[in-house]
């Protein structure tokens, strides 16, 4: 039980911590503020609490997947989606590349949906924890596409 709790703590600290670090080091800044935005663009203050909640859910799903099968396909998909998740902010906010950001986020959404499908029968809670994440990333994909089209 102690090892399980420790591994959960590692997942939580790693996912939330890296997410916050990437967010803090890739702030939208003046470039993003100057972009023409669609009418459904949320205010900037929405993103930090939303991502914090999602990162906790992503970490728990990853931890459950890790406990299920350390070298399994589901964990590899989970790791792949984390890499894409962490890549998007630097691509968009540092490189100012909305087209590449759109490519990254569409691949991310695909891996999220693939993860849900992989885990639906064997680890239902991990799959369910990814549903709000999929919804948010689908919305973010639409937002990224709209920003690309408008700018």
């Amino acid at each position: 039980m102690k090892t399980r709790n420790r591994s959960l703590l590692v997942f939580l600290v790693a996912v939330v911590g890296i997410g916050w670090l990437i967010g803090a080091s890739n702030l939208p800044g003046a470039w993003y503020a100057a972009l023409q935005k669609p009418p459904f663009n949320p205010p900037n203050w929405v993103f930090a609490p939303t991502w914090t909640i999602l990162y906790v859910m992503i970490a728990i799903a990853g931890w459950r997947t890790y406990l299920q099968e350390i070298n399994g396909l589901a964990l590899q998909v989970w790791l792949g989606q984390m890499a894409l998740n962490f890549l998007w902010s630097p691509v968009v906010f540092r490189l100012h590349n909305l087209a590449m950001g759109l490519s990254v986020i569409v691949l991310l959404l695909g891996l999220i949906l693939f993860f849900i499908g992989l885990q639906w029968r064997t680890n239902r809670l991990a799959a369910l924890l990814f549903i709000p994440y999929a919804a948010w990333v689908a919305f973010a994909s639409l937002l990224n596409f709209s920003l690309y089209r408008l700018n």
Side-chain angles (χ1 to χ4, degrees):
M1 186 67 159
K2 193 173 181 180
T3 303
R4 286 174 55 105
N5 291 342
R6 194 172 308 143
S7 63
L8 174 58
L9 184 61
V10 167
F11 269 86
L12 288 167
V13 169
V15 173
V16 176
I18 293 170
W20 282 349
L21 180 65
I22 289 173
S25 59
N26 295 282
L27 296 172
W31 170 80
Y32 183 78
L35 292 176
Q36 193 174 2
K37 313 258 185 344
F40 58 88
N41 191 73
N44 287 342
W45 65 264
V46 168
F47 293 95
T50 299
W51 275 112
T52 301
I53 293 164
L54 289 173
Y55 280 142
V56 168
M57 295 169 72
I58 292 165
I60 294 168
W63 171 70
R64 290 181 54 83
T65 301
Y66 168 80
L67 293 177
Q68 173 186 336
E69 188 177 359
I70 293 175
N71 294 316
L73 177 60
L75 186 60
Q76 291 173 17
V77 172
W78 185 88
L79 290 167
Q81 67 76 32
M82 285 310 314
L84 291 171
N85 179 306
F86 292 154
L87 178 63
W88 185 88
S89 288
V91 166
V92 172
F93 298 131
R94 187 169 294 165
L95 299 178
H96 302 167
N97 193 329
L98 292 169
M100 187 184 304
L102 184 58
S103 297
V104 170
I105 203 165
V106 167
L107 288 171
L108 172 59
L109 182 56
L111 283 183
I112 292 167
L113 295 173
F114 186 43
F115 179 86
I116 292 168
L118 281 173
Q119 293 293 68
W120 193 254
R121 291 183 195 263
T122 58
N123 196 333
R124 182 70 52 96
L125 180 56
L128 290 171
L129 286 167
F130 259 48
I131 291 174
Y133 179 33
W136 181 257
V137 171
F139 170 74
S141 298
L142 177 60
L143 180 58
N144 191 150
F145 175 75
S146 298
L147 289 168
Y148 173 71
R149 290 282 314 252
L150 291 170
N151 298 278

